[in-house]
Amino acid sequence: MMDTKVIDVALGKKSADMVILNGNLINVHTREVYQSDVSIVDGKIAGVGKLPEGVIGPDTQIIDAAGKYLSPGFIDAHIHFESSMLTFTEFSNTVIKRGTTAVASDIMEITIVAGLEGLKEILSEAGSLPVSLYYPVPSFMGDESEFQTTGSVLSASMIEQLLPLDEAVGLAEVLVPPILAKSPESEKVIALADKLKKTAEGHAPATFGKELNAYVSTGIRSDHESTTKEEALEKVRNGLRVLMREGSASTDLKDCLRIITEDNIDPRHLAMISDDVDALHLVSLGHMDHKIRMAVKEGVDPVAAIQMATLNPAESLKIDDLHGSISPGKMANIVLLSSIEECAVKDVVAKGSLVVKDGSLIEKSVPPTYANVLRNTVSFFREIKSSDLLIKAQDGAEEAVVHVIGASPVSLLTDSLEASLPVKDKYVACDVSQDILHIACVERYGKNGNIGKSFIKGFSLKEGALATSVGHDHHNITVVGTNEEDMLVAVNRIKELDGALVVVRDGKVVGEIPLSIAGLLSLESAEDVAKEQEHLLTELKEMGCTMASPFMSLSFITLIFIPDFAITDVGLMDVKQFKIIDPVISWR
Amino acid sequence: MMDTKVIDVALGKKSADMVILNGNLINVHTREVYQSDVSIVDGKIAGVGKLPEGVIGPDTQIIDAAGKYLSPGFIDAHIHFESSMLTFTEFSNTVIKRGTTAVASDIMEITIVAGLEGLKEILSEAGSLPVSLYYPVPSFMGDESEFQTTGSVLSASMIEQLLPLDEAVGLAEVLVPPILAKSPESEKVIALADKLKKTAEGHAPATFGKELNAYVSTGIRSDHESTTKEEALEKVRNGLRVLMREGSASTDLKDCLRIITEDNIDPRHLAMISDDVDALHLVSLGHMDHKIRMAVKEGVDPVAAIQMATLNPAESLKIDDLHGSISPGKMANIVLLSSIEECAVKDVVAKGSLVVKDGSLIEKSVPPTYANVLRNTVSFFREIKSSDLLIKAQDGAEEAVVHVIGASPVSLLTDSLEASLPVKDKYVACDVSQDILHIACVERYGKNGNIGKSFIKGFSLKEGALATSVGHDHHNITVVGTNEEDMLVAVNRIKELDGALVVVRDGKVVGEIPLSIAGLLSLESAEDVAKEQEHLLTELKEMGCTMASPFMSLSFITLIFIPDFAITDVGLMDVKQFKIIDPVISWR
């Protein structure tokens, strides 16, 4: 785009809004670091290098970057900001301090709960914030209503409405099964993305060999589901941009980085992403800065690590015309670091304005007043009794052989386990000694009163229950517990709060994070949410829980696309068979 | 794009059209080489790696690539195929043997001579050939008629017609002066390219510092005019994709490669291109294979050299969805090499068919019968006398101080020189002893009879003349000579042949290449054209000429955008002042 003011400032014919002098430029085009000045006007970079006479006028803001490094603003190419439990405004307040200036977030969770109207509220909120929000459009707006109940049914025609939007970078999360099944709907939406020259982002957990070949053949551009070095290597070799994930519950980055540190492959098609991170992770560890530090610690060249958080994600998303490097014409998103290796963010210029100084926000952005569509989103079809959360036994049965969801502390993948459980008082009991706990998923839109029930291993609770109104991709209320009374207390408390994370012990709520916006987002600050998260973790630990991110993990045990097992309000989902199955295998 | 047949072959559910077994895959995504098989169907790559059972059926063509390397087909991201003097069919016959499977060629020369109708003839010719022709649309369809006469006036509205075409990859050759002048026309066409998400390719000779910043700020994606290491480095640092040129008259590659071999920069944004190569170069040295050999010889990692001829140009042109790597879904363009370092092309698969075997074409493509618009394109407004080719002296003058075009044997840039020349018989004489020769440019469309006249240094002819109907971007007849009689013979012979390269000595034509298609292209084979080119060079050498590529150099001395001086039918062009100037500075 030709901007005549930018040309004039580049040529020194007009003065800049801002100049950054004496910094050490991290050039991600060439993988070099050298001294360079930068001029900025109209939110864009005009000059880089030795600036001409005339660029500094009486109103030009001068930033002395002597001794500092200038990095392009960091980009998270795949995140669901809703997982932070923060409003987009507070998310922006939080990550901008860490140097993030652009994210691609598909906002599907809000849309599932509150429809297009809810989505548009968020896009409008984001427009004025320092962090640029790009919006990949959910690709699988198929009718999944036989497997789960949602607030809003996403329809295929929405894709045709949404994909042409400027913020819409492409299709999000194109799944493997419909591709392998040659679904005409998938064919249609991929063709539309192609026509618009937008990306089709992938979602291909544990996909290898011929299935990976078939999947990639459709032009899918990226994937963020690699959990091992081997998977990442095979995917990048196939031509996928591999987005290496470091989220709260999915910590795949360290293993994936071995394709650089051990196999020495060209890192141009690698980027680092979050997928899902909670407020505690963002506040205590950081965002892209944390991933850069991890990469450097694992032995990646520091400038290559910066590339994996700037140019590489920008090219993957096809937004490198505006993002990903400090060069003329790009958006003026510049992070001043006191050290590259430590990725120590001092100051941040976003959209041409200094927004972070010495690690602190100059001005904290304030969330808007949210429309009704995003509030009061939790209601029950009928009152729930504690026994509704249990599996009723067959008449005369003394024991049940059941499927058990095997949750992992480090991965979103679940194992398909089995267990024998006793029948007590006409219901299948859990077995705390074996860590086989109750899990239930309660329909929360007031539509049908569904409650899906099964068992889960991995949380190691010895008492009490935890429950959440966050559960991909339907956001019904999921509860895990050692007994149905505590579970019911937790579920009812979530209803009272219009959404929440809740921990219950001995019939009492001992910790909670209200999520009154769509049952997904808190109106509190990141620090407060993080603090309460820590409190919940402490309580859960005392109750025996061994999961690193129990709520984040729980919110994905509901996702019908991650093998082996998931739970929804309809029941236990066998992902590989792609159908709801009876949680009980046999009665004895 | 989802192709159900490709998915079926990838999965082993249907048999492939072709499999290539046991080859060593050059993976340009990761910069690795390892053993891999490839399956192909419908002209596309389906499977890469270990192929599933079922992929080889009774009709599957099996190619054993044991001991060979599989490279993606080579891509020339910036060439004017017309400079080869071959029809596109014969160009394709020639470069496919060298492993080239896609070129971006703007076909502007044909359009200048024969308009849109001529352009469409070529696009239609190319469709069925193994080499994919991409078409960058000329960006400077401004009215240059005050500086030169052309067959067809390219209009700005043509861009709006042409840019949306599928073959049209973007804008070609966006010039620096209109950008620095903030031309509204440039703004408009760049905005159109942005909207269509197509590229804007640059043309920024000797542009540095603040001018380079201003130019790049408009989103120009690439530049192919770097003649030194320093220029290439500054451009790639500014975010341009640097297309390093190795043409017949412009041999910039070796110096530019030093940014890799000396400065060790990330080569991801570097590619190698031809710009203008003649048939002799293609037949004797090769095409992209020659550039890869050069890069390896200069010390570039061989696989990085392959990347600079495959993935890098594909990404620069934004055609990496179909080109640039051997991965599922890409066009099946695969080059089998017996050595990477030597880039020794054995077999070539293009669009899924084996077209070259052991270095020879399996079937030579035959050019179509060309439409009239491409024939009979040379005519004169009036008969020309030999004195018309000289500069008439002022009454009484004995000497003239004149501008002299300083031609370079290795660069398209010209120097602005001066000389004092005697007046003889009322005309300014040349001075063979100082190598100051006559140059004239004769309008050849029969429109106005213009003849531009000046002097040139650098050809070192001691006798005779050479003339050509190829002269960017107007393609009038340009002639250089030691005397006006030989010059006239050459000019008239070109008219007789409807276009040609001609060498005249002692009043006789001693060598010629007829270019009867638009005055630009020969109907002969590449080998015959190359042989005649060698003959012309031998004749010229005997006549004293020291230029390496005298005809190629001459065809650019007419280009009004390459500093310092150019000649057109209107006169001597001062490129920096961007105006026609009097070739005579003063009379004495």
Side-chain angles (χ1 to χ4, degrees), chain B residues 1 16 36 49 114 116 150 164 174 188 254 259 271 320 359 368 372 412 416 418 546 555:
Chain B
M1 202 192 90
S36 184
L116 270 191
T150 55
V174 177
K188 196 174 155 196
K254 188 173 168 179
I259 59 178
D320 52 312
N372 269 334
L412 299 183
S416 53
E418 292 182 11
T546 54
S555 74

Side-chain angles (χ1 to χ4, degrees), chain B residues 26 28 71-76 98-100 244 246 253 257 271-274 281 285-311 313 335 337 339-345:
Chain B
I26 302 171
V28 292
S71 169
F74 305 142
I75 301 167
D76 194 331
R98 301 301 193 144
T100 303
M244 300 178 292
E246 186 65 15
L253 179 59
L257 285 169
M272 303 185 288
I273 58 101
S274 300
H281 180 112
L285 297 173
H287 186 211
M288 301 307 296
D289 58 324
H290 169 56
K291 301 181 216 305
I292 292 167
R293 280 188 293 274
M294 278 186 71
V296 172
K297 195 180 156 201
E298 295 303 315
V300 175
D301 168 72
V303 180
I306 298 274
Q307 285 180 313
M308 292 198 292
T310 56
L311 184 63
V335 184
L337 304 172
S339 148
I340 307 181
E341 287 77 4
E342 298 295 319
C343 198
V345 176

Side-chain angles (χ1 to χ4, degrees), chain A residues 1-8 10-13 27-32 34 45-52 178-180 182-183 186-187 190 194 196-198 210-214 216-219 221 233 236-241 263-269 307 311-312 315 318 320 325-330, chain B residues 1-8 10-13 27-32 34 45-52 178-180 182-183 186-187 190 194 196-198 210-214 216-219 221 233 236-241 263-269 307 311-312 315 318 320 325-330:
Chain A
M1 201 191 91
M2 187 190 288
D3 181 326
T4 57
K5 216 164 159 189
V6 172
I7 291 176
D8 282 337
L11 294 173
K13 289 181 179 172
N27 194 315
V28 292
H29 299 295
T30 59
R31 211 181 284 164
E32 295 176 297
Y34 52 85
I45 294 166
V48 181
K50 187 173 150 23
L51 301 179
I179 297 288
L180 300 188
K182 299 176 285 184
S183 138
S186 296
E187 183 171 5
I190 289 174
D194 282 350
L196 294 167
K197 293 182 180 277
K198 301 197 171 191
K210 63 186 182 180
E211 285 83 9
L212 182 61
N213 281 175
V216 171
S217 80
T218 60
R221 190 165 173 91
L233 183 60
V236 71
R237 282 176 166 183
N238 263 266
L240 286 172
R241 313 264 173 161
D263 296 335
N264 197 29
I265 73 155
D266 189 340
R268 66 195 284 173
H269 285 176
Q307 285 179 312
L311 183 63
N312 299 9
E315 289 188 354
K318 299 188 185 178
D320 52 311
S325 69
I326 299 176
S327 53
K330 303 290 191 295
Chain B
M1 202 192 90
M2 187 191 288
D3 181 325
T4 56
K5 215 162 160 189
V6 172
I7 291 177
D8 282 337
L11 294 174
K13 290 181 178 173
N27 193 314
V28 292
H29 299 295
T30 58
R31 212 182 283 164
E32 295 176 297
Y34 52 85
I45 294 166
V48 181
K50 187 172 148 27
L51 301 179
I179 297 289
L180 300 188
K182 299 177 286 187
S183 138
S186 296
E187 184 170 4
I190 289 174
D194 283 350
L196 294 167
K197 293 184 180 276
K198 300 197 170 190
K210 62 186 184 179
E211 286 83 9
L212 182 61
N213 280 176
V216 171
S217 80
T218 60
R221 191 165 173 90
L233 183 59
V236 71
R237 282 176 166 183
N238 263 266
L240 286 171
R241 313 265 173 159
D263 296 334
N264 197 29
I265 73 156
D266 188 340
R268 65 196 282 172
H269 286 176
Q307 285 180 313
L311 184 63
N312 299 7
E315 289 188 355
K318 300 188 184 177
D320 52 312
S325 69
I326 300 175
S327 52
K330 304 289 191 293

Side-chain angles (χ1 to χ4, degrees), chain B residues 212-499:
Chain B
L212 182 61
N213 280 176
Y215 180 71
V216 171
S217 80
T218 60
I220 302 296
R221 191 165 173 90
S222 69
D223 172 75
H224 55 267
E225 292 289 336
S226 292
T227 58
T228 63
K229 170 192 154 170
E230 290 71 25
E231 187 175 356
L233 183 59
E234 187 171 337
K235 283 176 174 170
V236 71
R237 282 176 166 183
N238 263 266
L240 286 171
R241 313 265 173 159
V242 168
L243 311 181
M244 300 178 292
R245 176 167 53 193
E246 186 65 15
S248 300
S250 270
T251 55
D252 308 313
L253 179 59
K254 188 173 168 179
D255 201 23
C256 290
L257 285 169
R258 292 166 54 215
I259 59 178
I260 307 175
T261 55
E262 293 176 6
D263 296 334
N264 197 29
I265 73 156
D266 188 340
R268 65 196 282 172
H269 286 176
L270 303 177
M272 303 185 288
I273 58 101
S274 300
D275 206 356
D276 295 278
V277 286
D278 56 30
L280 179 55
H281 180 112
L282 291 174
V283 168
S284 59
L285 297 173
H287 186 211
M288 301 307 296
D289 58 324
H290 169 56
K291 301 181 216 305
I292 292 167
R293 280 188 293 274
M294 278 186 71
V296 172
K297 195 180 156 201
E298 295 303 315
V300 175
D301 168 72
V303 180
I306 298 274
Q307 285 180 313
M308 292 198 292
T310 56
L311 184 63
N312 299 7
E315 289 188 355
S316 181
L317 292 168
K318 300 188 184 177
I319 57 170
D320 52 312
D321 54 335
L322 289 179
H323 293 272
S325 69
I326 300 175
S327 52
K330 304 289 191 293
M331 276 176 65
N333 294 329
I334 299 176
V335 184
L336 282 73
L337 304 172
S338 57
S339 148
I340 307 181
E341 287 77 4
E342 298 295 319
C343 198
V345 176
K346 291 292 157 194
D347 314 312
V348 180
V349 173
K351 298 180 177 174
S353 296
L354 185 69
V355 291
V356 174
K357 174 102 187 111
D358 283 330
S360 297
L361 285 174
I362 288 177
E363 191 179 354
K364 192 167 171 156
S365 301
V366 178
T369 304
Y370 291 97
N372 269 334
V373 67
L374 293 172
R375 294 174 161 278
N376 311 111
T377 62
V378 179
S379 65
F380 291 157
F381 189 74
R382 63 174 81 83
E383 196 179 338
I384 297 166
K385 303 190 302 289
S386 62
S387 62
D388 292 340
L389 303 172
L390 304 182
I391 297 172
K392 192 155 191 186
Q394 208 178 52
D395 279 352
E398 294 181 357
E399 201 180 61
V401 180
V402 297
H403 292 295
V404 174
I405 303 169
S408 158
V410 292
S411 166
L412 299 183
L413 300 175
T414 54
D415 289 321
S416 53
L417 308 176
E418 292 182 11
S420 287
L421 293 173
V423 171
K424 287 185 188 163
D425 299 335
K426 299 189 177 167
Y427 290 90
V428 184
C430 67
D431 183 348
V432 173
S433 69
Q434 282 188 67
D435 182 28
I436 311 283
L437 308 184
H438 293 294
I439 183 166
C441 184
V442 178
E443 190 271 319
R444 75 121 206 238
Y445 299 99
K447 289 188 173 176
N448 55 38
N450 281 345
I451 301 180
K453 288 159 278 191
S454 187
F455 294 93
I456 189 161
K457 185 179 174 73
F459 278 72
S460 308
L461 282 188
K462 301 301 174 200
E463 56 179 323
L466 72 160
T468 175
S469 54
V470 181
H472 305 276
D473 287 333
H474 42 90
H475 304 297
N476 290 297
I477 295 171
T478 311
V479 57
V480 167
T482 60
N483 68 85
E484 62 273 29
E485 288 77 18
D486 285 348
M487 289 166 75
L488 182 63
V489 170
V491 167
N492 281 330
R493 180 60 182 160
I494 287 178
K495 178 173 173 295
E496 279 173 24
L497 293 170
D498 267 320

Side-chain angles (χ1 to χ4, degrees), chain A residues 331-384:
Chain A
M331 277 176 66
N333 294 329
I334 299 176
V335 184
L336 281 72
L337 304 171
S338 57
S339 149
I340 308 181
E341 287 77 6
E342 298 297 319
C343 198
V345 176
K346 290 292 155 193
D347 314 310
V348 180
V349 173
K351 298 181 178 174
S353 297
L354 185 68
V355 291
V356 173
K357 174 106 187 105
D358 283 330
S360 298
L361 284 174
I362 288 178
E363 191 179 353
K364 194 167 168 155
S365 302
V366 178
T369 304
Y370 291 97
N372 269 336
V373 67
L374 294 172
R375 293 174 163 279
N376 310 112
T377 61
V378 179
S379 64
F380 290 157
F381 188 74
R382 64 174 80 85
E383 198 179 337
I384 297 167

